[in-house]
Amino acid sequence: MTNSETEARTFRMHVNLGPQHPSTHGVLHLELEMYGEYVLGIDPVLGYGHRMHEKMAETRPWQSFFANTPRIDYACSLPHSHCYASLLEQALDIEVPARARSLRIITSELNRITSHLLWVGAFLLDLGAFTPILYCFDDREQAVDILEHITGNRLTHAYMCAGGVMADADDAILRKTRKFIQRMRGRFQIYDRLITNNIIFVTRTRDIGIITPDLARAYGATGPVLRGSGVPCDIRKIAPYGGYDDFEFDVPLGSNGDCLDRYSVRLQEMRQSLNIIEQALDQLPGGPVRAKVPRKFKPAPGHYSFSVEGARGDVTYWAVSDGSEIPYRLKIRSACMANLSLFPELCQGMLLADLISTLGSLDLVIPEIDR
Amino acid sequence: MDSETTIRIFISVVLVAGFVFANATVMGYLERKLAGHFQRRLGPMEVGWHGILQMPIDGIKLLGKRMLIPKQAEGLIFRLAPVISLSPVLLPLMVIPFSPALQVVDMKVGLIFVLAIEAFGTIAVFLAGWSSNNKYAMMGALRSVAQNIAYEIPILMVALSVALLARSFSLREIVMSQAALWFIVLQPLGFLIYMVAGLSECNRAPFDLPEAESELTAGYLTEYSGIAFSLFMIAEYTHMFIICCLATVLFLGGWQGPELPWAEYSSAIWFLIKAYGLMFCMVWVRWTFPRVRYDQLMNFAWKYLIPFALVNLFVTALGVYIYEKLFS
């Protein structure tokens, strides 16, 4: 009996969702076992975007990996650079100037906003609404313009370096950032009217894809996926780094763990990021933006690790040094891999449409998983 | 049938076919332009003044494209489906009274005729999805059939309520009987039910499940390209136009409006303004709302629309009965 005959007899279908599918956001490939509209089993297939970042790190001097860090998670690249820079500073015992610390936080939080805005648009696209993504891109464009001015890039910001940041921000762009904060706060009302209060949106997301705190913990989920389930876990709060403890901000939490919670957590996180940026701008110190660093990096033998909070969750870099100029090993832990790993268990028996909205709510950047 | 009628029908068919393509062009342009403005951008701007020639150019482009037929598809049915989808949408335009004089045939059962012919569209969608030999297309086709069966019923029941009020199935007489009062005043619930079910009937967002691009890539359209694809699109826009025309006839008083010179013909302007106004609302809804889920859609039809349409029908029947007892 051929495969199609089996399918005809049991009404079961084997469907390849992706790697070329409008809502897998890149090259995620899901092998679905379906019964009509229901999904019985999911098997994610990864590796279409593998670029050997970790291996590349093992072949070049320590500083050279700064070219790779923004390209790991292109939607929210600065936290990755932030993490690697902090790891090197920790290993080499470099003190970062105060102004550079503030600029790092300002740019990282702006990057978090651009990433979440992109997500809101793409999530609504998964739900079949085309208009919100253009509103989101309208706002994202403003933030990206600011980031371009400060960092020199629009997407893969090569801004952070060991000992500080590459360039200082001038007053004009800081004023523009303040304007952006004002504008963005008003824009949330539009999002609430267009999306949050939309009855179809709420019925499509409420009680869909409920991640219990236990499930999230079991798979090591982090970021808004974990906080949507009500677990207060934010590296910026529980292990403050780079001066985050100087600022006041809340960690938004969901209660139910459904797609709607993950949406509202991300929306509130953008407001909190705006608060952080505003405080950082208010108390922005003067001075240099880059500390003196040795010409060649030769960290003492041993292993080092550092964690920061990216837009998708915990970003951890773990490096082993053998005392030479080249890392012996660099292991990157990105949030999306763990967030995706709970997906097959979460989505068994779901409708196809719910599977898509749950997949969207995890905010996956596939090249970050593959690396 | 005398020769005058034959000539009249022949000319009308040519005009209607021309109108179908004109409508698809205008609506295609309007949809993209309106979508652009809803989304804070300009829409087509390059070809002609404000992109006004964009749709003809796109039509030519689609004509020039090769129509790919998958090897394992049912070739004949695959080719036939776009034609089947287009042909039935021409027929209802024959009985719709655009103005007192602009109507090809006035059928006694015009209303039933329109609704019956419209249902053909589903068959084309099903054939397209089934013959494509593609799982996404098949799922889109199955969704389309279930959806259309569910939403045909409320439309029929609402149409029946209007027919009760007008005491006729003839579209012309339905319009005539609204000279004093448009039926939207007597049937506000009926109008709402009709428009919601109508959106679903022509597979428009938020009920565009057969072609839900984020779930089924493009549903039944997945394997279609070139002219076959554009035939489906033309059929969709015409379908939309018919739904709105019927709404105009049933609820908005058809061609009725302030008196114009040569009212026999020129009152078609009022008709078209109303119909395109409704189309504008359809475009507006499409670019505002996310898509509903498949089971929510079915639940909505069976749990809300059909019961309410039944109640509406019952109340209308009762009202007509009491009215006649009192005043005759």
Side-chain angles (χ1 to χ4, degrees), chain A residues 7 13-17 21-23 37 125-131 134-135 138 198 200 203-204 208 351 353-354, chain B residues 35 37-41 135-136 139 143 205-206 213-217 286-296:
Chain A
E7 282 175 355
M13 283 195 291
H14 183 87
V15 178
N16 282 307
L17 193 88
H21 188 278
S23 29
E37 290 268 335
L125 210 54
D126 288 345
L127 295 177
F130 193 77
T131 302
L134 286 142
Y135 280 73
D138 193 6
N198 187 322
I200 297 179
T203 48
R204 278 298 304 276
I208 302 302
L351 281 167
D354 287 342
Chain B
H37 285 285
F38 289 141
Q39 296 166 351
R40 302 168 58 92
R41 54 191 178 86
K135 285 161 188 166
Y136 291 123
M139 277 162 82
R143 281 180 173 192
E213 83 281 344
S214 58
E215 297 149 30
L216 303 179
T217 54
R286 170 172 181 184
W287 295 108
T288 309
F289 285 108
R291 186 178 301 115
V292 299
R293 206 174 61 211
Y294 178 63
D295 59 328
Q296 290 169 347

Short mmCIF file of all heavy atoms in Angstrom, two decimals, chain A residues 7 13-17 21-23 37 125-131 134-135 138 198 200 203-204 208 351 353-354, chain B residues 35 37-41 135-136 139 143 205-206 213-217 286-296:
data_model
loop_
_atom_site.label_atom_id
_atom_site.label_comp_id
_atom_site.label_asym_id
_atom_site.label_seq_id
_atom_site.Cartn_x
_atom_site.Cartn_y
_atom_site.Cartn_z
N GLU A 7 -2.96 7.29 3.48
CA GLU A 7 -3.54 8.57 3.86
C GLU A 7 -5.03 8.59 3.56
O GLU A 7 -5.84 9.04 4.37
CB GLU A 7 -2.86 9.71 3.10
CG GLU A 7 -1.52 10.07 3.69
CD GLU A 7 -0.79 11.11 2.88
OE1 GLU A 7 -1.29 11.49 1.80
OE2 GLU A 7 0.28 11.52 3.32
N MET A 13 -3.06 12.97 7.10
CA MET A 13 -2.20 13.58 6.10
C MET A 13 -0.86 13.90 6.70
O MET A 13 -0.77 14.26 7.86
CB MET A 13 -2.82 14.88 5.60
CG MET A 13 -3.95 14.71 4.64
SD MET A 13 -4.29 16.26 3.83
CE MET A 13 -4.94 17.22 5.15
N HIS A 14 0.14 13.74 5.88
CA HIS A 14 1.47 14.18 6.29
C HIS A 14 1.74 15.48 5.53
O HIS A 14 1.78 15.47 4.31
CB HIS A 14 2.50 13.11 5.92
CG HIS A 14 3.86 13.46 6.37
ND1 HIS A 14 4.31 13.15 7.63
CD2 HIS A 14 4.85 14.11 5.75
CE1 HIS A 14 5.55 13.60 7.75
NE2 HIS A 14 5.90 14.18 6.62
N VAL A 15 1.83 16.57 6.25
CA VAL A 15 1.97 17.87 5.59
C VAL A 15 3.31 18.48 5.98
O VAL A 15 3.68 18.49 7.15
CB VAL A 15 0.83 18.82 6.00
CG1 VAL A 15 1.02 20.18 5.37
CG2 VAL A 15 -0.51 18.24 5.60
N ASN A 16 4.01 18.97 4.98
CA ASN A 16 5.23 19.73 5.25
C ASN A 16 4.89 21.20 5.33
O ASN A 16 4.54 21.82 4.33
CB ASN A 16 6.25 19.51 4.12
CG ASN A 16 6.93 18.19 4.25
OD1 ASN A 16 7.47 17.86 5.30
ND2 ASN A 16 6.87 17.40 3.20
N LEU A 17 4.96 21.74 6.53
CA LEU A 17 4.71 23.17 6.71
C LEU A 17 6.08 23.85 6.68
O LEU A 17 6.83 23.77 7.63
CB LEU A 17 4.00 23.42 8.03
CG LEU A 17 3.39 24.79 8.22
CD1 LEU A 17 1.99 24.82 7.66
CD2 LEU A 17 3.37 25.18 9.66
N HIS A 21 6.96 28.67 3.64
CA HIS A 21 5.56 28.86 4.00
C HIS A 21 5.44 30.27 4.55
O HIS A 21 6.33 30.72 5.27
CB HIS A 21 5.16 27.82 5.05
CG HIS A 21 3.69 27.81 5.34
ND1 HIS A 21 3.13 28.71 6.20
CD2 HIS A 21 2.68 27.03 4.89
CE1 HIS A 21 1.83 28.47 6.26
NE2 HIS A 21 1.53 27.47 5.47
N PRO A 22 4.34 30.97 4.22
CA PRO A 22 4.27 32.38 4.63
C PRO A 22 4.39 32.59 6.14
O PRO A 22 4.82 33.65 6.56
CB PRO A 22 2.90 32.82 4.14
CG PRO A 22 2.50 31.83 3.14
CD PRO A 22 3.21 30.57 3.40
N SER A 23 3.99 31.63 6.96
CA SER A 23 4.00 31.96 8.38
C SER A 23 5.04 31.20 9.19
O SER A 23 4.90 31.12 10.41
CB SER A 23 2.62 31.79 8.99
OG SER A 23 1.91 30.84 8.33
N GLU A 37 -8.41 19.05 9.93
CA GLU A 37 -7.83 20.33 10.33
C GLU A 37 -7.00 20.20 11.60
O GLU A 37 -6.39 21.17 12.04
CB GLU A 37 -8.95 21.34 10.58
CG GLU A 37 -9.67 21.79 9.35
CD GLU A 37 -9.06 23.05 8.75
OE1 GLU A 37 -8.43 23.80 9.48
OE2 GLU A 37 -9.22 23.24 7.53
N LEU A 125 -0.01 39.29 11.21
CA LEU A 125 0.00 38.75 9.85
C LEU A 125 -0.33 37.26 9.88
O LEU A 125 -1.06 36.76 9.04
CB LEU A 125 1.38 38.97 9.24
CG LEU A 125 1.50 39.17 7.74
CD1 LEU A 125 0.60 40.28 7.28
CD2 LEU A 125 2.92 39.45 7.37
N ASP A 126 0.19 36.57 10.89
CA ASP A 126 -0.13 35.15 11.04
C ASP A 126 -1.62 34.96 11.29
O ASP A 126 -2.20 33.96 10.90
CB ASP A 126 0.63 34.55 12.22
CG ASP A 126 2.10 34.40 11.91
OD1 ASP A 126 2.44 34.50 10.73
OD2 ASP A 126 2.87 34.18 12.84
N LEU A 127 -2.22 35.92 11.98
CA LEU A 127 -3.64 35.80 12.26
C LEU A 127 -4.48 36.31 11.10
O LEU A 127 -5.71 36.29 11.17
CB LEU A 127 -3.99 36.61 13.52
CG LEU A 127 -3.37 36.10 14.81
CD1 LEU A 127 -3.73 37.02 15.95
CD2 LEU A 127 -3.85 34.71 15.13
N GLY A 128 -3.84 36.79 10.05
CA GLY A 128 -4.59 37.17 8.86
C GLY A 128 -4.92 38.64 8.77
O GLY A 128 -5.69 39.03 7.90
N ALA A 129 -4.37 39.49 9.63
CA ALA A 129 -4.60 40.92 9.50
C ALA A 129 -3.36 41.55 8.89
O ALA A 129 -2.27 41.41 9.42
CB ALA A 129 -4.89 41.55 10.86
N PHE A 130 -3.55 42.22 7.77
CA PHE A 130 -2.38 42.71 7.06
C PHE A 130 -1.99 44.11 7.50
O PHE A 130 -0.83 44.49 7.40
CB PHE A 130 -2.67 42.69 5.55
CG PHE A 130 -1.44 42.86 4.73
CD1 PHE A 130 -0.57 41.80 4.55
CD2 PHE A 130 -1.13 44.08 4.15
CE1 PHE A 130 0.57 41.96 3.80
CE2 PHE A 130 0.02 44.23 3.40
CZ PHE A 130 0.87 43.17 3.23
N THR A 131 -2.95 44.89 7.96
CA THR A 131 -2.68 46.30 8.21
C THR A 131 -1.74 46.57 9.38
O THR A 131 -0.85 47.42 9.26
CB THR A 131 -4.02 47.04 8.40
OG1 THR A 131 -4.79 46.84 7.22
CG2 THR A 131 -3.81 48.51 8.61
N LEU A 134 2.05 47.24 8.92
CA LEU A 134 2.53 48.49 8.32
C LEU A 134 2.54 49.62 9.33
O LEU A 134 3.41 50.49 9.29
CB LEU A 134 1.67 48.82 7.11
CG LEU A 134 2.03 47.88 5.97
CD1 LEU A 134 0.84 47.45 5.18
CD2 LEU A 134 3.08 48.50 5.10
N TYR A 135 1.60 49.58 10.28
CA TYR A 135 1.65 50.55 11.38
C TYR A 135 2.89 50.31 12.22
O TYR A 135 3.57 51.25 12.62
CB TYR A 135 0.39 50.44 12.25
CG TYR A 135 -0.80 51.14 11.66
CD1 TYR A 135 -1.46 50.61 10.56
CD2 TYR A 135 -1.25 52.34 12.18
CE1 TYR A 135 -2.54 51.26 10.01
CE2 TYR A 135 -2.33 53.00 11.64
CZ TYR A 135 -2.97 52.45 10.56
OH TYR A 135 -4.03 53.10 10.00
N ASP A 138 5.91 51.48 10.51
CA ASP A 138 5.98 52.93 10.55
C ASP A 138 6.73 53.37 11.81
O ASP A 138 7.65 54.21 11.75
CB ASP A 138 4.54 53.47 10.56
CG ASP A 138 4.51 54.95 10.29
OD1 ASP A 138 5.57 55.50 9.98
OD2 ASP A 138 3.42 55.55 10.38
N ASN A 198 -9.76 44.32 19.54
CA ASN A 198 -10.44 43.74 18.39
C ASN A 198 -11.00 42.37 18.78
O ASN A 198 -10.26 41.48 19.21
CB ASN A 198 -9.42 43.60 17.25
CG ASN A 198 -10.06 43.16 15.97
OD1 ASN A 198 -10.96 42.33 15.98
ND2 ASN A 198 -9.59 43.70 14.88
N ILE A 200 -12.17 39.85 17.15
CA ILE A 200 -11.67 38.66 16.45
C ILE A 200 -10.29 38.30 16.95
O ILE A 200 -9.97 37.14 17.19
CB ILE A 200 -11.67 38.88 14.92
CG1 ILE A 200 -13.09 39.10 14.43
CG2 ILE A 200 -11.06 37.70 14.21
CD1 ILE A 200 -13.19 39.34 12.96
N THR A 203 -10.64 36.59 20.39
CA THR A 203 -11.13 35.20 20.33
C THR A 203 -10.11 34.28 19.67
O THR A 203 -10.09 33.10 19.94
CB THR A 203 -12.47 35.09 19.57
OG1 THR A 203 -12.34 35.80 18.35
CG2 THR A 203 -13.61 35.64 20.37
N ARG A 204 -9.28 34.84 18.80
CA ARG A 204 -8.26 34.00 18.17
C ARG A 204 -7.10 33.68 19.11
O ARG A 204 -6.36 32.74 18.87
CB ARG A 204 -7.70 34.70 16.92
CG ARG A 204 -8.51 34.55 15.68
CD ARG A 204 -8.66 33.15 15.20
NE ARG A 204 -7.40 32.46 14.96
CZ ARG A 204 -6.71 32.56 13.84
NH1 ARG A 204 -7.11 33.29 12.87
NH2 ARG A 204 -5.59 31.87 13.71
N ILE A 208 -5.57 30.13 23.81
CA ILE A 208 -4.94 29.36 22.74
C ILE A 208 -3.47 29.16 23.10
O ILE A 208 -2.79 30.10 23.50
CB ILE A 208 -5.04 30.11 21.40
CG1 ILE A 208 -6.49 30.40 21.03
CG2 ILE A 208 -4.37 29.32 20.29
CD1 ILE A 208 -7.37 29.21 20.92
N LEU A 351 -5.96 22.86 16.29
CA LEU A 351 -6.33 23.18 14.92
C LEU A 351 -5.14 23.83 14.22
O LEU A 351 -4.30 24.45 14.87
CB LEU A 351 -7.49 24.17 14.92
CG LEU A 351 -8.87 23.60 15.19
CD1 LEU A 351 -9.83 24.72 15.48
CD2 LEU A 351 -9.36 22.80 14.00
N ALA A 353 -5.00 26.43 12.41
CA ALA A 353 -4.95 27.89 12.58
C ALA A 353 -4.37 28.26 13.94
O ALA A 353 -3.63 29.23 14.06
CB ALA A 353 -6.35 28.47 12.42
N ASP A 354 -4.71 27.46 14.97
CA ASP A 354 -4.16 27.74 16.30
C ASP A 354 -2.67 27.44 16.34
O ASP A 354 -1.91 28.13 17.03
CB ASP A 354 -4.87 26.89 17.36
CG ASP A 354 -6.26 27.40 17.61
OD1 ASP A 354 -6.52 28.55 17.25
OD2 ASP A 354 -7.07 26.64 18.17
N ALA B 35 -6.50 50.02 0.34
CA ALA B 35 -5.64 49.32 1.29
C ALA B 35 -4.42 50.16 1.59
O ALA B 35 -4.00 50.29 2.74
CB ALA B 35 -5.23 47.96 0.71
N HIS B 37 -4.17 53.40 1.52
CA HIS B 37 -4.46 54.53 2.38
C HIS B 37 -4.85 54.09 3.80
O HIS B 37 -4.55 54.80 4.75
CB HIS B 37 -5.55 55.40 1.75
CG HIS B 37 -5.03 56.21 0.62
ND1 HIS B 37 -4.26 57.33 0.81
CD2 HIS B 37 -5.11 56.05 -0.71
CE1 HIS B 37 -3.91 57.83 -0.36
NE2 HIS B 37 -4.41 57.07 -1.31
N PHE B 38 -5.48 52.92 3.92
CA PHE B 38 -5.76 52.41 5.26
C PHE B 38 -4.45 52.14 6.00
O PHE B 38 -4.40 52.17 7.22
CB PHE B 38 -6.56 51.11 5.22
CG PHE B 38 -7.98 51.29 4.78
CD1 PHE B 38 -8.58 50.37 3.94
CD2 PHE B 38 -8.71 52.38 5.20
CE1 PHE B 38 -9.88 50.54 3.52
CE2 PHE B 38 -10.00 52.55 4.78
CZ PHE B 38 -10.59 51.64 3.94
N GLN B 39 -3.42 51.83 5.24
CA GLN B 39 -2.16 51.43 5.86
C GLN B 39 -1.12 52.54 5.82
O GLN B 39 0.06 52.28 5.91
CB GLN B 39 -1.62 50.19 5.15
CG GLN B 39 -2.53 49.01 5.34
CD GLN B 39 -2.22 47.89 4.39
OE1 GLN B 39 -1.42 48.04 3.48
NE2 GLN B 39 -2.84 46.75 4.60
N ARG B 40 -1.55 53.77 5.66
CA ARG B 40 -0.66 54.93 5.69
C ARG B 40 0.41 54.85 4.61
O ARG B 40 1.57 55.15 4.86
CB ARG B 40 0.00 55.07 7.06
CG ARG B 40 -1.00 55.22 8.18
CD ARG B 40 -0.30 55.07 9.50
NE ARG B 40 0.75 56.06 9.63
CZ ARG B 40 0.58 57.25 10.18
NH1 ARG B 40 -0.57 57.59 10.66
NH2 ARG B 40 1.58 58.09 10.27
N ARG B 41 0.04 54.35 3.45
CA ARG B 41 0.95 54.43 2.31
C ARG B 41 0.12 54.83 1.10
O ARG B 41 -1.08 55.07 1.23
CB ARG B 41 1.68 53.09 2.11
CG ARG B 41 0.77 51.92 1.99
CD ARG B 41 1.52 50.60 2.07
NE ARG B 41 0.57 49.53 1.98
CZ ARG B 41 0.12 49.02 0.85
NH1 ARG B 41 0.56 49.46 -0.29
NH2 ARG B 41 -0.79 48.07 0.85
N LYS B 135 -2.24 19.33 -0.87
CA LYS B 135 -2.98 19.17 0.39
C LYS B 135 -3.55 20.49 0.88
O LYS B 135 -4.66 20.55 1.38
CB LYS B 135 -2.07 18.56 1.44
CG LYS B 135 -1.87 17.09 1.20
CD LYS B 135 -0.65 16.57 1.92
CE LYS B 135 -0.38 15.13 1.50
NZ LYS B 135 0.94 14.69 1.91
N TYR B 136 -2.78 21.55 0.71
CA TYR B 136 -3.29 22.86 1.13
C TYR B 136 -4.51 23.24 0.30
O TYR B 136 -5.52 23.73 0.82
CB TYR B 136 -2.23 23.93 0.96
CG TYR B 136 -1.08 23.81 1.92
CD1 TYR B 136 0.22 23.68 1.48
CD2 TYR B 136 -1.30 23.83 3.29
CE1 TYR B 136 1.27 23.58 2.36
CE2 TYR B 136 -0.26 23.73 4.18
CZ TYR B 136 1.03 23.59 3.71
OH TYR B 136 2.06 23.50 4.58
N MET B 139 -7.51 21.27 1.41
CA MET B 139 -8.10 21.76 2.65
C MET B 139 -8.87 23.05 2.41
O MET B 139 -9.95 23.25 2.96
CB MET B 139 -7.00 21.98 3.69
CG MET B 139 -6.65 20.70 4.41
SD MET B 139 -5.08 20.81 5.22
CE MET B 139 -5.52 21.62 6.69
N ARG B 143 -12.84 23.54 3.17
CA ARG B 143 -13.31 24.65 3.99
C ARG B 143 -14.37 25.44 3.24
O ARG B 143 -15.40 25.80 3.79
CB ARG B 143 -12.15 25.58 4.30
CG ARG B 143 -11.26 25.10 5.41
CD ARG B 143 -10.16 26.10 5.59
NE ARG B 143 -9.35 25.78 6.75
CZ ARG B 143 -8.46 26.60 7.28
NH1 ARG B 143 -8.29 27.78 6.75
NH2 ARG B 143 -7.77 26.26 8.33
N ALA B 205 -12.03 38.44 3.48
CA ALA B 205 -11.59 38.56 4.86
C ALA B 205 -12.67 39.31 5.64
O ALA B 205 -13.30 40.20 5.08
CB ALA B 205 -10.29 39.34 4.92
N PRO B 206 -12.94 39.03 6.90
CA PRO B 206 -12.23 38.08 7.76
C PRO B 206 -12.67 36.62 7.60
O PRO B 206 -12.34 35.81 8.43
CB PRO B 206 -12.58 38.59 9.16
CG PRO B 206 -13.92 39.20 9.01
CD PRO B 206 -13.98 39.75 7.63
N GLU B 213 -3.92 32.75 3.64
CA GLU B 213 -2.53 32.60 3.20
C GLU B 213 -1.59 32.26 4.35
O GLU B 213 -0.56 31.64 4.12
CB GLU B 213 -2.05 33.83 2.42
CG GLU B 213 -1.58 35.00 3.26
CD GLU B 213 -2.73 35.80 3.80
OE1 GLU B 213 -3.85 35.63 3.28
OE2 GLU B 213 -2.52 36.58 4.74
N SER B 214 -1.95 32.63 5.58
CA SER B 214 -1.00 32.33 6.65
C SER B 214 -1.12 30.88 7.12
O SER B 214 -0.22 30.37 7.76
CB SER B 214 -1.20 33.28 7.82
OG SER B 214 -2.50 33.19 8.31
N GLU B 215 -2.23 30.21 6.79
CA GLU B 215 -2.35 28.81 7.17
C GLU B 215 -2.14 27.89 5.98
O GLU B 215 -1.38 26.93 6.04
CB GLU B 215 -3.74 28.54 7.77
CG GLU B 215 -4.00 29.32 9.03
CD GLU B 215 -5.47 29.66 9.17
OE1 GLU B 215 -6.32 28.90 8.69
OE2 GLU B 215 -5.77 30.71 9.76
N LEU B 216 -2.84 28.19 4.89
CA LEU B 216 -2.86 27.27 3.75
C LEU B 216 -2.10 27.82 2.56
O LEU B 216 -2.45 27.54 1.42
CB LEU B 216 -4.32 27.00 3.33
CG LEU B 216 -5.23 26.44 4.41
CD1 LEU B 216 -6.63 26.26 3.85
CD2 LEU B 216 -4.71 25.12 4.91
N THR B 217 -1.11 28.60 2.78
CA THR B 217 -0.36 29.33 1.73
C THR B 217 -1.33 30.14 0.85
O THR B 217 -1.42 31.32 1.02
CB THR B 217 0.54 28.42 0.89
OG1 THR B 217 -0.24 27.36 0.35
CG2 THR B 217 1.65 27.84 1.72
N ARG B 286 -11.99 44.15 5.33
CA ARG B 286 -10.92 43.22 5.02
C ARG B 286 -9.58 43.71 5.55
O ARG B 286 -8.78 42.93 6.06
CB ARG B 286 -10.82 43.04 3.50
CG ARG B 286 -9.58 42.28 3.14
CD ARG B 286 -9.52 41.92 1.70
NE ARG B 286 -8.29 41.16 1.49
CZ ARG B 286 -7.89 40.74 0.31
NH1 ARG B 286 -8.62 40.97 -0.73
NH2 ARG B 286 -6.77 40.08 0.20
N TRP B 287 -9.34 44.99 5.44
CA TRP B 287 -8.03 45.50 5.83
C TRP B 287 -7.98 45.89 7.29
O TRP B 287 -7.02 46.51 7.73
CB TRP B 287 -7.62 46.66 4.93
CG TRP B 287 -7.45 46.19 3.53
CD1 TRP B 287 -8.28 46.45 2.50
CD2 TRP B 287 -6.43 45.33 3.02
NE1 TRP B 287 -7.83 45.81 1.37
CE2 TRP B 287 -6.70 45.12 1.67
CE3 TRP B 287 -5.30 44.72 3.58
CZ2 TRP B 287 -5.90 44.32 0.86
CZ3 TRP B 287 -4.50 43.93 2.78
CH2 TRP B 287 -4.82 43.75 1.44
N THR B 288 -9.02 45.60 8.05
CA THR B 288 -9.02 45.95 9.47
C THR B 288 -8.94 44.72 10.36
O THR B 288 -8.23 44.73 11.36
CB THR B 288 -10.29 46.74 9.83
OG1 THR B 288 -10.41 47.82 8.91
CG2 THR B 288 -10.20 47.29 11.22
N PHE B 289 -9.65 43.67 9.98
CA PHE B 289 -9.81 42.56 10.92
C PHE B 289 -8.87 41.39 10.63
O PHE B 289 -8.56 41.12 9.47
CB PHE B 289 -11.25 42.04 10.86
CG PHE B 289 -12.22 42.94 11.53
CD1 PHE B 289 -13.11 43.69 10.81
CD2 PHE B 289 -12.23 43.05 12.91
CE1 PHE B 289 -14.00 44.54 11.42
CE2 PHE B 289 -13.11 43.90 13.54
CZ PHE B 289 -14.00 44.63 12.79
N PRO B 290 -8.45 40.70 11.70
CA PRO B 290 -7.77 39.42 11.48
C PRO B 290 -8.78 38.38 11.01
O PRO B 290 -9.99 38.61 11.06
CB PRO B 290 -7.24 39.05 12.87
CG PRO B 290 -7.47 40.22 13.74
CD PRO B 290 -8.54 41.03 13.11
N ARG B 291 -8.25 37.26 10.60
CA ARG B 291 -9.10 36.19 10.10
C ARG B 291 -9.69 35.41 11.26
O ARG B 291 -9.02 35.17 12.26
CB ARG B 291 -8.27 35.28 9.22
CG ARG B 291 -9.03 34.22 8.51
CD ARG B 291 -8.10 33.42 7.64
NE ARG B 291 -7.42 34.24 6.65
CZ ARG B 291 -6.12 34.45 6.62
NH1 ARG B 291 -5.34 33.90 7.51
NH2 ARG B 291 -5.59 35.21 5.70
N VAL B 292 -10.94 35.00 11.13
CA VAL B 292 -11.52 34.15 12.19
C VAL B 292 -11.03 32.73 11.98
O VAL B 292 -10.53 32.37 10.92
CB VAL B 292 -13.05 34.18 12.19
CG1 VAL B 292 -13.55 35.57 12.44
CG2 VAL B 292 -13.59 33.64 10.90
N ARG B 293 -11.18 31.93 13.03
CA ARG B 293 -10.73 30.55 12.91
C ARG B 293 -11.85 29.73 12.30
O ARG B 293 -13.02 30.11 12.37
CB ARG B 293 -10.36 30.02 14.30
CG ARG B 293 -9.36 28.92 14.27
CD ARG B 293 -8.97 28.57 15.68
NE ARG B 293 -10.11 28.13 16.44
CZ ARG B 293 -10.24 28.33 17.75
NH1 ARG B 293 -9.32 28.96 18.41
NH2 ARG B 293 -11.30 27.89 18.38
N TYR B 294 -11.47 28.61 11.73
CA TYR B 294 -12.44 27.82 10.97
C TYR B 294 -13.64 27.40 11.82
O TYR B 294 -14.80 27.58 11.44
CB TYR B 294 -11.71 26.60 10.41
CG TYR B 294 -12.60 25.68 9.64
CD1 TYR B 294 -13.21 26.12 8.49
CD2 TYR B 294 -12.82 24.39 10.07
CE1 TYR B 294 -14.03 25.29 7.78
CE2 TYR B 294 -13.63 23.55 9.36
CZ TYR B 294 -14.23 24.01 8.22
OH TYR B 294 -15.03 23.19 7.53
N ASP B 295 -13.37 26.85 13.02
CA ASP B 295 -14.50 26.37 13.83
C ASP B 295 -15.32 27.53 14.37
O ASP B 295 -16.53 27.43 14.53
CB ASP B 295 -14.02 25.46 14.96
CG ASP B 295 -13.05 26.18 15.86
OD1 ASP B 295 -12.32 27.03 15.36
OD2 ASP B 295 -13.03 25.89 17.07
N GLN B 296 -14.64 28.67 14.63
CA GLN B 296 -15.39 29.85 15.09
C GLN B 296 -16.35 30.31 14.00
O GLN B 296 -17.48 30.71 14.29
CB GLN B 296 -14.43 30.99 15.42
CG GLN B 296 -13.61 30.73 16.67
CD GLN B 296 -12.49 31.74 16.83
OE1 GLN B 296 -12.16 32.47 15.91
NE2 GLN B 296 -11.88 31.74 18.00
#
